[in-house]
């Protein structure tokens, strides 16, 4: 495959998209677990419904896709409605079904565990992401990225030291342990999904652009939603929603508002995650998810009055340290590439005219 040099304009646009996707990811990563837990602590019981809401907001993606289409049509009346070709559609659909399973596992864990506990378990996905990124996309590690992975993983381990005291009073030990295991499996599965998306980008026989990334996101979430819809039908969740709304401690109107905002916020998470993969790598996406988890911890303490032990403060410092380490390493690598570029261009062996 021919390697294409990126123009300065494209590089600047990609950096702007990266910052935008980081912001979108931060909203989804911090807000998603909190609003899901809000549903459960105020009387919500439907796990399949919660899983469905994680990707059920996929129609939102149609709005930016429509803007993109009409913008293209203004300059090229023959432009296609969708860029995606069948092979890429099939790959996105398969990843979508896996995502649907991951949604259920995660929702089960949030239903049984405090946000602080489920968040620290999810932080372990970084180790799985790093491992699968090495196996699937041959991710190259620098001393700085390895340091970031170690610091963020140690931060999760420090938090794990105090999980026993977080068990809700109404939960049995069996339910707590099962929730712990389900969340850990969800972390491992999502650690596999992130590099799998990056592999899909690399193996696609289409030129990747952000519109195509949004199309992939829409198909992934659509198939994940279909998967969870089947679970809802079997579990009779659709019939239970009106009854649950009437009995909710939040009140009927607020109950439905929680469901709607849950779908919107989770869509930010998924779009941000795959957007970061497009602009950078699956490893950076995994690192950002882990970095935002301590922020979720602090918000859980503020809104749900969960305990904030010293271990959580240490984990927050380690996470920020890991984040700074990764980006410092990236800055150094980019500086090296810029310094090496002029030398490469001056080498006569790289200049066809010089060989004449």
């Amino acid at each position: 495959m021919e390697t294409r040099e990126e123009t300065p304009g494209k590089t600047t646009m990609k950096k702007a998209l990266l910052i935008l996707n980081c912001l979108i990811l931060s909203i989804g990563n911090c807000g998603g677990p909190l609003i899901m837990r809000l549903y459960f602590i105020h009387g919500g019981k439907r796990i399949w419904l919660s899983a469905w809401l994680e990707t059920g907001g996929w129609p939102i993606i149609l709005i930016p896709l429509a803007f993109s289409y009409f913008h293209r049509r203004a300059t090229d009346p023959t432009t296609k409605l969708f860029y995606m070709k069948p092979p890429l559609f099939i790959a996105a659909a398969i990843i979508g079904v896996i995502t649907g399973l991951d949604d259920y596992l995660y929702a089960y864990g949030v239903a049984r565990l405090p946000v602080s506990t489920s968040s620290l378990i999810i932080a372990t996905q970084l180790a799985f992401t790093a491992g699968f990124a090495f196996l699937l996309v041959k991710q190259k590690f620098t001393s700085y990225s390895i340091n970031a992975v170690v610091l963020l993983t140690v931060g999760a381990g420090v938090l794990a030291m105090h999980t026993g005291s977080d068990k809700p009073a109404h939960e049995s030990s069996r339910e707590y342990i099962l929730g712990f295991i389900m969340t850990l499996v969800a972390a491992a599965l999502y650690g596999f999904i992130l590099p799998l998306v990056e592999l899909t980008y690399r193996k696609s026989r289409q030129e990747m652009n952000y519109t195509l990334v949004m199309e992939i996101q829409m198909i992934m979430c659509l198939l994940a939603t279909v998967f969870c819809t089947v679970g809802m039908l079997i579990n009779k969740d659709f019939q239970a929603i009106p009854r649950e709304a009437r009995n909710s401690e939040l009140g009927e109107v607020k109950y439905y508002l929680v469901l709607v905002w849950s779908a919107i916020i989770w869509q930010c998470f998924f779009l941000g995650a795959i957007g970061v993969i497009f602009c950078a790598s699956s490893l950076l996406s995994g690192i950002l998810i882990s970095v935002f988890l301590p922020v979720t911890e602090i918000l859980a303490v503020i809104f749900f009055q969960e305990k904030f032990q010293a271990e959580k403060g240490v984990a927050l410092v380690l996470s920020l340290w890991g984040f700074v380490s990764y980006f410092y390493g990236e800055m150094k690598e980019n500086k090296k590439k810029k310094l090496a570029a002029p030398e490469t261009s001056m080498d006569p062996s790289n200049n066809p005219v010089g060989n004449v």
Side-chain angles (χ1 to χ4, degrees):
M1 185 180 289
E2 184 183 349
T3 304
R4 298 182 179 179
E5 293 288 335
E6 288 194 344
T7 62
K10 283 187 176 180
T11 302
T12 303
M13 179 61 73
K14 211 162 190 179
K15 286 180 180 178
L17 277 174
L18 178 59
I19 293 169
L20 176 62
N21 279 284
C22 288
L23 291 173
I24 293 171
L25 178 59
S26 68
I27 293 169
N29 198 55
C30 296
L34 293 172
I35 199 163
M36 182 181 283
R37 186 60 184 168
L38 180 68
Y39 164 79
F40 285 116
I41 63 176
H42 287 287
K45 303 290 183 185
R46 320 310 295 189
I47 295 173
W48 276 111
L49 170 61
S50 295
W52 187 94
L53 290 170
E54 289 182 59
T55 52
W58 66 265
I60 295 170
I61 302 296
L62 290 171
I63 298 171
L65 281 175
F67 277 115
S68 176
Y69 172 71
F70 287 118
H71 176 72
R72 297 197 313 269
R73 191 176 173 83
T75 54
D76 180 14
T78 61
T79 189
K80 293 181 179 179
L81 183 61
F82 290 105
Y83 280 128
M84 191 180 294
K85 294 178 180 177
L88 196 54
F89 176 88
I90 293 168
I94 292 169
I95 297 173
V97 173
I98 299 171
T99 301
L101 174 61
D102 188 63
D103 289 345
Y104 176 77
L105 294 170
Y106 178 73
Y108 190 98
V110 174
R112 300 286 181 263
L113 308 173
V115 173
S116 55
T117 305
S118 61
S119 293
L120 71 89
I121 300 170
I122 288 296
T124 61
Q125 64 86 24
L126 179 60
F128 293 109
T129 301
F132 285 120
F134 176 76
L135 293 172
L136 295 178
V137 296
K138 310 302 180 191
Q139 174 72 49
K140 291 181 180 178
F141 290 96
T142 64
S143 58
Y144 296 100
S145 60
I146 292 171
N147 186 48
V149 170
V150 171
L151 286 169
L152 290 163
T153 305
V154 170
V158 169
L159 284 171
M161 292 166 59
H162 229 79
T163 55
S165 63
D166 280 345
K167 186 172 76 67
H170 63 278
E171 294 284 354
S172 67
S173 295
R174 181 181 174 278
E175 288 175 328
Y176 182 85
I177 292 169
L178 191 57
F180 194 100
I181 293 170
M182 288 285 210
T183 309
L184 186 60
V185 175
L189 192 55
Y190 201 67
F192 171 68
I193 289 170
L194 291 177
L196 190 59
V197 171
E198 185 175 355
L199 182 66
T200 301
Y201 290 167
R202 292 189 181 187
K203 295 294 183 182
S204 67
R205 296 179 180 178
Q206 295 182 241
E207 185 178 352
M208 294 300 300
N209 56 47
Y210 198 65
T211 299
L212 190 53
V213 168
M214 288 192 291
E215 289 179 11
I216 293 170
Q217 162 70 4
M218 185 181 70
I219 298 303
M220 283 172 54
C221 287
L222 172 60
L223 267 293
T225 304
V226 170
F227 179 88
C228 293
T229 300
V230 174
M232 287 183 69
L233 289 169
I234 294 170
N235 204 44
K236 297 182 179 179
D237 279 10
F238 288 106
Q239 296 93 314
I241 290 172
R243 182 176 64 254
E244 193 172 70
R246 289 192 297 270
N247 298 328
S248 174
E249 296 173 8
L250 293 167
E252 195 166 352
V253 174
K254 287 182 180 178
Y255 173 88
Y256 285 114
L257 282 174
V258 166
L259 299 190
V260 171
W261 278 105
S262 183
I264 294 170
I265 291 171
W266 277 116
Q267 200 57 218
C268 291
F269 171 80
F270 285 104
L271 181 60
I274 72 164
V276 170
I277 295 171
F278 168 70
C279 297
S281 68
S282 56
L283 181 61
L284 177 58
S285 188
I287 285 173
L288 286 172
I289 290 169
S290 295
V291 164
F292 293 136
L293 288 173
V295 180
T296 308
E297 297 263 352
I298 294 170
L299 292 174
V301 170
I302 295 170
F303 293 113
F304 300 145
Q305 285 77 52
E306 293 185 4
K307 295 177 182 177
F308 190 85
Q309 298 93 345
E311 289 85 354
K312 293 180 181 178
V314 173
L316 177 60
V317 172
L318 288 172
S319 295
L320 293 173
W321 184 7
F323 182 72
V324 171
S325 173
Y326 179 84
F327 275 100
Y328 180 71
E330 285 297 298
M331 287 170 63
K332 288 197 72 173
E333 286 296 311
N334 289 334
K335 194 174 181 179
K336 283 182 183 178
K337 288 177 184 177
K338 286 179 181 178
L339 290 172
E343 294 176 10
T344 305
S345 62
M346 290 173 65
D347 187 349
S349 63
N350 290 322
N351 188 348
V353 178
N355 293 328
V356 175

